Coordinates of all heavy atoms in Angstrom, one line a residue:
E108 N 194.6 -3.9 186.2 CA 195.3 -2.6 186.1 C 194.4 -1.4 186.6 O 194.9 -0.4 187.0 CB 195.6 -2.3 184.6 CG 196.7 -3.3 184.1 CD 197.2 -2.9 182.7 OE1 196.7 -1.9 182.2 OE2 198.0 -3.6 182.1
A109 N 193.1 -1.6 186.6 CA 192.2 -0.6 187.1 C 192.5 -0.3 188.6 O 192.5 0.8 189.0 CB 190.8 -0.9 186.9
L110 N 192.6 -1.4 189.3 CA 192.9 -1.3 190.8 C 194.3 -0.6 191.0 O 194.5 0.2 191.8 CB 192.8 -2.6 191.4 CG 193.1 -2.6 192.9 CD1 192.1 -1.7 193.7 CD2 193.1 -4.0 193.5
M111 N 195.3 -1.1 190.2 CA 196.6 -0.5 190.3 C 196.6 1.0 190.0 O 197.4 1.8 190.6 CB 197.6 -1.2 189.4 CG 197.8 -2.7 189.7 SD 198.4 -3.0 191.3 CE 197.0 -3.8 192.1
D112 N 195.8 1.4 189.0 CA 195.7 2.8 188.7 C 195.2 3.6 189.9 O 195.6 4.7 190.2 CB 194.9 3.0 187.4 CG 194.9 4.4 186.9 OD1 195.9 4.8 186.4 OD2 193.9 5.1 187.0
R113 N 194.2 3.0 190.6 CA 193.6 3.7 191.7 C 194.7 3.8 192.8 O 194.8 4.8 193.6 CB 192.4 2.9 192.2 CG 191.2 3.0 191.3 CD 190.1 2.1 191.8 NE 189.5 2.6 193.0 CZ 188.3 3.1 193.1 NH1 187.5 3.1 192.0 NH2 187.8 3.5 194.2
V114 N 195.5 2.7 193.0 CA 196.5 2.7 194.0 C 197.6 3.8 193.7 O 198.0 4.5 194.6 CB 197.2 1.3 194.1 CG1 198.4 1.4 195.0 CG2 196.2 0.3 194.6
I115 N 198.0 3.9 192.5 CA 198.9 4.9 192.1 C 198.4 6.3 192.4 O 199.1 7.2 192.9 CB 199.3 4.8 190.6 CG1 200.0 3.5 190.3 CG2 200.1 6.0 190.1 CD1 200.3 3.2 188.9
A116 N 197.1 6.5 192.1 CA 196.5 7.8 192.3 C 196.4 8.1 193.8 O 196.7 9.2 194.3 CB 195.1 7.9 191.7
K117 N 196.1 7.1 194.6 CA 196.0 7.3 196.0 C 197.3 7.7 196.7 O 197.4 8.5 197.5 CB 195.4 6.1 196.7 CG 195.2 6.2 198.2 CD 194.6 4.9 198.8 CE 194.5 5.1 200.3 NZ 193.7 6.2 200.8
L118 N 198.3 6.9 196.3 CA 199.7 7.1 196.9 C 200.4 8.3 196.3 O 201.5 8.7 196.8 CB 200.5 5.9 196.8 CG 200.0 4.6 197.6 CD1 200.9 3.4 197.3 CD2 199.8 5.0 199.1
G119 N 199.9 8.8 195.2 CA 200.5 9.9 194.5 C 201.9 9.6 193.9 O 202.8 10.4 193.9
L120 N 202.0 8.3 193.4 CA 203.2 7.9 192.8 C 203.5 8.5 191.5 O 202.5 8.9 190.8 CB 203.2 6.3 192.6 CG 203.0 5.5 193.9 CD1 202.9 4.0 193.6 CD2 204.1 5.8 194.9
D121 N 204.7 8.6 191.1 CA 205.1 9.2 189.8 C 204.7 8.3 188.7 O 205.3 7.2 188.6 CB 206.6 9.5 189.8 CG 207.1 10.3 188.6 OD1 206.2 10.6 187.8 OD2 208.3 10.5 188.5

Side-chain angles (χ1 to χ4, degrees):
E108 291 191 1
L110 179 60
M111 297 301 111
D112 189 68
R113 295 173 68 112
V114 171
I115 292 173
K117 178 178 178 59
L118 297 178
L120 301 178
D121 187 1

